Amino acid sequence: MNPLRKAISDAFLADEDTIVEDLIRRARLSPGERAGTEALARELVTRIRAAHDKRSGIDAFTQEYALSSEEGVVLMCLAESLLRVPDAATADRLIKDKIRTGDWASHMNRSDSLFVNASTFALMLTGRVIKLDETAKWDLQGLWKKLVSRSGEPVIRNAVTYAMRILGRQFVLGRSIEEALKEARERVKEGYRYSFDMLGEAAYTKHDAERYYESYRHALAAIAETFPDLAQPVFERPSISVKLSALHPRYEWIKRDRVMTELLPQLLALAAEARKSNLALTIDAEEAERLDLMLDVFEAMGNAPELRGWSGLGLAVQGYQKRALPVVAWLADLARRQDRRIPVRLVKGAYWDTEVKRAQELGLSEYPVFTRKAATDTSYLATARALLAAGDEIYPQFATHNAHTLSAVQVFAAGRKDFEYQRLHGMGEALYELYREVKKPSPGAGTRIYAPVGTHEDLLAYLVRRLLENGANTSFVNRLADEDAPIETIIADPVEQVASCHPHRSAQIPLPIDLLPDRKNSSGFLWSDPAVAEPMIAAMRENLQRAQSAGPIISGKESPHAKHAVFDPADRTRQIGEVSEVTDEDVHAALDAATRAQHNWDSLRGNARAEILERAADLFEQNRAHLMALAVREGGKTLPNALGEIREAADLLRYYASQARQKFQHPIALPGPTGETNELSLHGRGPFFCVAPWNFPLAIFIGQVAGALAAGNTVLSKPAERTPLIAAAAIRLMHQAGVPGDVLHLLPGRGSKIGRIVLSDERLAGVAFTGSTETAIVLNRALAARGGALPAIVAETGGMNAMIVDSTALPEQVARDVNMSAFDSAGQRCSALRVLFLQEDAADKMEEMILGAMDELKIGDPFHLSTDIGPVIDEDARD
């Protein structure tokens, strides 16, 4: 790996404290820089507050309806869903559900902004903007209550829809590129530049990707026609921003080959058109997992003959990622190699909550983003210094609405003007107008307005992200509009703020491993990080080179019976190992040993058993390359499913360890109403027969075993007939962790043969079973028919899973979730979606998107990262 790319990879999930220490050193302002920054920032903030009329409507709106208020949350719900609801009945029910909870009347006339008050009236009454002096004689609270009680009436629906459209117009320059260009004229005359973005979220179908591509092509042609001066420097010309996930339905690392062969030629054609018209093209940043792929695409574009040496091809870099600085170092080197100047738009980042949640779900070792806002601001300043230091290799573009950040960049530039600032359309207007005034008569750096273009339908996800970003009470836009916030706190130096915090990472956001209150979370990794994924796949293949075998493990010893071959369900000619099955004597021996070992195992109590189970969880994670290889080759799992299997098994081991400590170490005190002492002491029941399915050959198998062991029972484990190899590997690790051989036995073979002996034996204390309802009934009847104490049966059986989707749901999310639930693990999960109900009013669009997304799924060998769907387990399952 290129050393500069390796540095990017190393920083992906690097220790936050270490990264922040380095950033503080790089970003810290000298006394002179601090004085200059504070002076300019103070002047800007003071002037903005004095000039209320220059505060944009949305700045005032996000302050009035902050996300910390109930009304702000309700607005988010409505903005995200109301405008796409095609039928009146659902819209009315949504409004009734969301709006009646908000105290809208309390916001009346609270703001100096006519926009805020007009929106409040729209939310309260009709789409008509009412003059403020008309309202003095109204009983607004009473009127509102009356209207809410009749909220099914069309008047309220129209009013709320209108309010959402007022919001939308604040953020979107025009519904079409022609309308946007017309709206931009006045600002262009004032010296502002524009970057046009054709609104659209990630494409889920080829049809959507083609539609977005045509919108970009059309936009380039329209911009070129409006701005025909080809002699003007490209950095002073309009530009277009391109979101790659909108141009390809599978823009993700695991589909890298497809992206490079299908998307790259389209991008080259688009960029060549931009170059011909002397219009810059910027690749927008997206989620952290897409960064490596984006850099590969960007490098390939710059190497193409039709774009060689062109300085109009730019990239967005996110300051909230730990990789921002190494990405800039790589870009500077790329500029030298490609003999061009690269425009770099430095943003703080718009997916912070998504990145944090995703890292927690995946059990990553760290977060790809910073957990304190001051650390993000510090990273931005350090990266800004690096961009300016790159000289002619980089053309810096600083996207910010923060007065301190703007002022610091101005000071860092030390009189240079070969860079620009950027702001969003509808936001930060007052800041940049006053910046231009302060810099008169000598003009400062140019300012580019990032201008979204699109219909209300395309607006929704973008609008929500902007509201989330700027409605948060920590955002500069929100604090600036809050008259009670002292200027000193608004213009405080983030570098000194984060330097004073020890540790630098936020204590309120635990690492993913520490997320659970009573135990360690299972660890995962990113298949989209080639520095991790490629060595892991190599280790899995290496493990499969060794002989894989399974057979009865009775009292810790493996029986030397005759073996038969185990074949890969993805290729029935590929042998992956051998298995031997139990004899009747093996089953009797296991039951005898488990019965003898029961008392000593139960006497260990909860803590000792918990320590063993936790050691087993650690061993599973240490040996995940081997276990994952078996999950793929024997169970037909795709690579992401295989990792999920190991994580779930480790989670279950630790969960039951925690339960053992809580419930089995000490007696539980019970209330004594007459003063007596009552205690409940929990103990194991005796030998348990644990019967596992093949669709979760490790997680469910080991979950049942761990639960029984934690509660003080000995175990006879029977793996699925189709997946004995991974079960044997798991039992060996359990023994290695300290589970005595007499306590845990492995019985591979036919369930009917083993069950005939085990279920009829009165010493069996219980059965844990996952599988079909029919088999559970057979087990239950067999246990009930025998003599002796009534055994326990713990059964989890399959059902028929349905999803019900109404028209408020986001179609892209529906398409993603339906495809994942129906087809992940080749549709063999017990929780797989079988029946989908769509509301008729929205069904056509959703069905088209779901089917289009299905077309993008790839069936194939699950050992390939690009495979979405592996094999069904055998011919019976396929039938």
Side-chain angles (χ1 to χ4, degrees):
M1 185 179 283
N2 175 307
L4 291 171
R5 285 296 291 270
K6 185 176 187 307
I8 295 172
S9 186
D10 290 345
F12 198 169
L13 301 173
D15 175 69
E16 185 168 354
D17 275 15
T18 305
I19 288 271
V20 171
E21 275 294 327
D22 181 55
L23 290 172
I24 290 169
R25 181 177 58 79
R26 293 171 182 267
R28 185 165 259 146
L29 279 65
S30 69
E33 288 174 331
R34 185 175 299 112
T37 299
E38 286 184 4
L40 179 54
R42 185 182 300 277
E43 182 175 2
L44 289 170
V45 171
T46 304
R47 285 206 196 187
I48 291 169
R49 285 190 161 176
H52 287 288
D53 59 312
K54 294 202 178 208
R55 188 194 306 167
S56 75
I58 207 64
D59 293 353
F61 191 91
T62 53
Q63 201 275 326
E64 179 64 25
Y65 293 104
L67 288 181
S68 53
S69 73
E70 191 175 33
E71 294 78 24
V73 174
V74 170
L75 268 176
M76 289 291 296
C77 296
L78 285 170
E80 201 278 324
S81 55
L82 186 67
L83 294 183
R84 70 167 162 267
V85 177
D87 61 299
T90 304
D92 289 347
R93 290 209 294 273
L94 180 69
I95 291 166
K96 189 172 184 178
D97 179 45
K98 301 301 178 190
I99 286 223
R100 66 180 173 184
T101 62
D103 182 14
W104 302 98
S106 67
H107 294 274
M108 283 300 307
N109 300 336
R110 281 251 307 268
S111 174
D112 295 324
S113 167
L114 177 64
F115 168 72
V116 170
N117 287 308
S119 296
T120 301
F121 276 113
L123 289 165
M124 289 182 61
L125 300 167
T126 70
R128 190 160 61 95
V129 177
I130 301 161
K131 290 180 182 175
L132 300 185
D133 56 8
E134 291 178 10
T135 67
K137 58 184 181 292
W138 293 3
D139 172 15
L140 292 168
Q141 193 72 38
L143 179 60
W144 178 234
K145 286 179 180 174
K146 191 183 297 183
L147 282 166
V148 169
S149 70
R150 296 155 54 206
S151 63
E153 293 186 0
V155 65
I156 300 296
R157 182 188 340 125
N158 292 337
V160 174
T161 302
Y162 181 77
M164 293 302 102
R165 291 199 166 144
I166 290 177
L167 273 177
R169 280 200 295 272
Q170 286 294 311
F171 282 119
V172 178
L173 189 60
R175 288 164 294 182
S176 66
I177 187 63
E178 289 79 9
E179 189 178 315
L181 288 166
K182 187 177 176 182
E183 290 290 325
R185 280 178 193 160
E186 288 303 313
R187 292 287 191 187
V188 171
K189 286 178 187 174
E190 295 169 15
Y192 285 98
R193 307 161 186 172
Y194 273 89
S195 181
F196 297 96
D197 175 19
M198 310 312 291
L199 272 183
E201 289 303 290
Y204 279 76
T205 69
K206 278 183 182 169
H207 174 74
D208 284 344
E210 288 165 2
R211 180 166 56 87
Y212 287 134
Y213 184 74
E214 285 307 313
S215 76
Y216 282 123
R217 285 193 63 198
H218 174 69
L220 276 173
I223 299 165
E225 186 178 343
T226 308
F227 296 90
D229 182 6
L230 299 182
Q232 194 179 19
V234 68
F235 302 129
E236 297 174 18
R237 301 265 292 151
S239 66
I240 192 165
S241 294
V242 177
K243 189 181 176 76
L244 298 190
S245 62
L247 295 179
H248 196 281
R250 299 304 302 271
Y251 175 60
E252 49 195 294
W253 177 262
I254 65 171
K255 300 293 181 179
R256 184 185 181 282
D257 290 344
R258 272 192 67 186
V259 168
M260 300 305 279
T261 56
E262 296 171 13
L263 176 60
L264 184 58
Q266 287 187 304
L267 286 173
L268 291 175
L270 200 65
E273 286 186 38
R275 183 178 193 176
K276 186 173 67 177
S277 304
N278 197 27
L279 301 173
L281 184 146
T282 299
I283 304 297
D284 256 340
E286 300 186 59
E287 296 87 347
E289 287 182 57
R290 302 188 201 262
L291 179 66
D292 273 294
L293 180 57
M294 182 175 78
L295 298 181
D296 284 357
V297 169
F298 187 74
E299 181 173 15
M301 289 178 73
N303 285 334
E306 55 264 54
L307 300 182
R308 192 163 293 146
W310 182 45
S311 295
L313 179 62
L315 192 74
V317 173
Q318 296 162 319
Y320 69 15
Q321 279 204 48
K322 296 171 180 175
R323 295 181 285 183
L325 266 178
V327 166
V328 167
W330 179 82
L331 285 170
D333 177 70
L334 183 68
R336 286 190 292 272
R337 288 188 280 122
Q338 295 184 341
D339 192 25
R340 66 189 182 98
R341 192 173 193 187
I342 297 179
V344 176
R345 173 191 295 150
L346 181 61
V347 301
K348 288 186 181 172
Y351 304 88
W352 183 87
D353 51 334
T354 302
E355 299 291 4
V356 169
K357 182 65 178 175
R358 182 87 172 124
Q360 291 171 345
E361 288 176 354
L362 294 172
L364 302 184
S365 58
E366 255 279 5
Y367 295 105
V369 294
F370 300 102
T371 57
R372 291 188 194 272
K373 187 175 184 306
T376 292
D377 291 341
T378 300
S379 170
Y380 190 99
L381 294 179
T383 309
R385 282 195 192 273
L387 290 173
L388 290 164
D392 291 340
E393 288 149 8
I394 300 289
Y395 179 75
Q397 300 168 312
F398 299 106
T400 180
H401 300 133
N402 186 307
H404 182 277
T405 306
L406 182 154
S407 303
V409 168
Q410 190 66 36
V411 169
F412 293 166
R416 276 178 58 180
K417 293 177 185 173
D418 60 333
F419 69 95
E420 68 182 29
Y421 292 109
Q422 294 192 4
R423 70 167 178 84
L424 288 168
H425 166 70
M427 300 197 61
E429 292 170 21
L431 175 65
Y432 281 98
E433 285 183 25
L434 289 168
Y435 164 71
R436 288 156 71 89
E437 282 183 23
V438 168
K439 296 306 292 179
K440 285 179 181 176
S442 171
T447 300
R448 189 177 300 274
I449 299 172
Y450 183 92
V453 180
T455 63
H456 290 115
E457 185 181 344
D458 292 323
L459 158 74
L460 294 168
Y462 175 84
L463 173 62
V464 170
R465 197 153 60 241
R466 294 289 86 85
L467 285 171
L468 273 172
E469 222 175 293
N470 297 289
N473 56 12
T474 55
S475 79
F476 177 81
V477 169
N478 199 309
R479 290 188 302 151
L480 179 63
D482 181 3
E483 301 289 350
D484 295 329
I487 288 180
E488 282 67 27
T489 64
I490 291 175
I491 65 169
D493 182 354
V495 184
E496 299 309 322
Q497 283 181 324
V498 78
S500 67
C501 297
H502 298 285
H504 298 310
R505 59 171 300 107
S506 171
Q508 293 178 314
I509 303 175
L511 285 171
I513 199 169
D514 300 321
L515 200 60
L516 304 173
D518 57 348
R519 64 190 187 279
K520 185 166 75 170
N521 192 12
S522 62
S523 64
F525 59 86
L526 287 164
W527 290 108
S528 57
D529 183 357
V532 176
E534 289 169 12
M536 179 59 71
I537 293 171
M540 291 169 65
R541 292 190 184 281
E542 186 181 337
N543 269 278
L544 288 171
Q545 299 304 311
R546 298 197 292 269
Q548 309 296 325
S549 67
I553 303 178
I554 312 299
S555 296
K557 295 178 181 175
E558 304 197 23
S559 304
H561 301 320
K563 290 181 166 59
H564 63 264
V566 178
F567 292 96
D568 181 350
D571 178 354
R572 307 267 167 81
T573 66
R574 181 191 291 134
Q575 182 177 341
I576 51 174
E578 294 181 317
V579 61
S580 60
E581 298 185 353
V582 291
T583 62
D584 290 0
E585 292 74 22
D586 291 330
V587 179
H588 285 296
L591 198 47
D592 291 344
T595 304
R596 289 193 303 271
Q598 170 64 35
H599 175 75
N600 287 342
W601 179 247
D602 184 50
S603 299
L604 282 179
R605 310 299 295 157
N607 284 350
R609 294 198 295 268
E611 287 175 7
I612 293 172
L613 294 179
E614 286 166 346
R615 277 200 299 274
D618 292 342
L619 284 171
F620 275 41
E621 290 184 331
Q622 290 164 22
N623 290 272
R624 64 184 170 191
H626 182 212
L627 295 173
M628 283 166 54
L630 291 173
V632 173
R633 277 291 173 245
E634 184 183 38
K637 297 273 180 180
T638 59
L639 292 171
N641 285 165
L643 176 57
E645 189 87 10
I646 312 310
R647 291 194 61 209
E648 189 173 346
D651 276 331
L652 286 164
L653 284 162
R654 293 184 180 121
Y655 169 76
Y656 285 120
S658 173
Q659 293 290 299
R661 283 200 170 89
Q662 292 173 36
K663 295 182 170 69
F664 290 88
Q665 181 60 24
H666 301 292
I668 302 167
L670 301 175
T674 59
E676 80 279 13
T677 299
N678 296 316
E679 289 183 336
L680 175 64
S681 183
L682 299 178
H683 294 273
R685 301 169 64 97
F688 252 73
F689 184 40
C690 292
V691 184
W694 50 262
N695 58 350
F696 285 93
L698 181 68
I700 289 180
F701 172 74
I702 214 64
Q704 294 176 166
V705 168
L709 291 173
N713 303 290
T714 53
V715 174
L716 283 70
S717 64
K718 197 208 89 63
E721 291 172 45
R722 299 167 183 85
T723 53
L725 297 176
I726 194 169
I731 294 301
R732 292 176 189 125
L733 290 174
M734 295 292 285
H735 287 155
Q736 185 181 335
V739 179
D742 285 344
V743 168
L744 174 60
H745 309 265
L746 179 68
L747 308 177
R750 294 192 62 80
S752 55
K753 174 183 177 182
I754 300 167
R756 177 174 47 80
I757 300 171
V758 174
L759 296 176
S760 62
D761 196 306
E762 293 184 13
R763 294 174 295 177
L764 184 71
V767 174
F769 166 78
T770 302
S772 70
T773 305
E774 293 80 3
T775 306
I777 291 170
V778 169
L779 289 171
N780 197 32
R781 286 176 177 160
L783 291 171
R786 58 165 227 194
L790 191 67
I793 178 165
V794 183
E796 181 186 350
T797 60
M800 187 66 72
N801 297 288
M803 184 187 291
I804 303 171
V805 181
D806 75 15
S807 62
T808 66
L810 185 66
E812 288 85 356
Q813 189 172 345
V814 175
R816 183 185 66 221
D817 290 350
V818 164
N819 275 283
M820 180 182 292
S821 186
F823 304 117
D824 200 21
S825 291
Q828 296 175 107
R829 292 171 182 261
C830 49
S831 55
L833 174 62
R834 306 295 178 199
V835 186
L836 175 66
F837 294 92
L838 298 176
Q839 183 177 332
E840 201 163 350
D841 307 84
D844 288 348
K845 179 177 180 180
M846 288 190 181
E847 193 173 301
E848 182 184 345
M849 189 170 285
I850 290 164
L851 292 171
M854 283 170 58
D855 289 340
E856 299 305 315
L857 296 174
K858 179 185 175 186
I859 298 172
D861 185 341
F863 224 113
H864 298 153
L865 198 48
S866 60
T867 296
D868 299 299
I869 302 175
V872 291
I873 195 71
D874 60 14
E875 292 296 339
D876 289 343
R878 187 173 72 163
D879 292 342

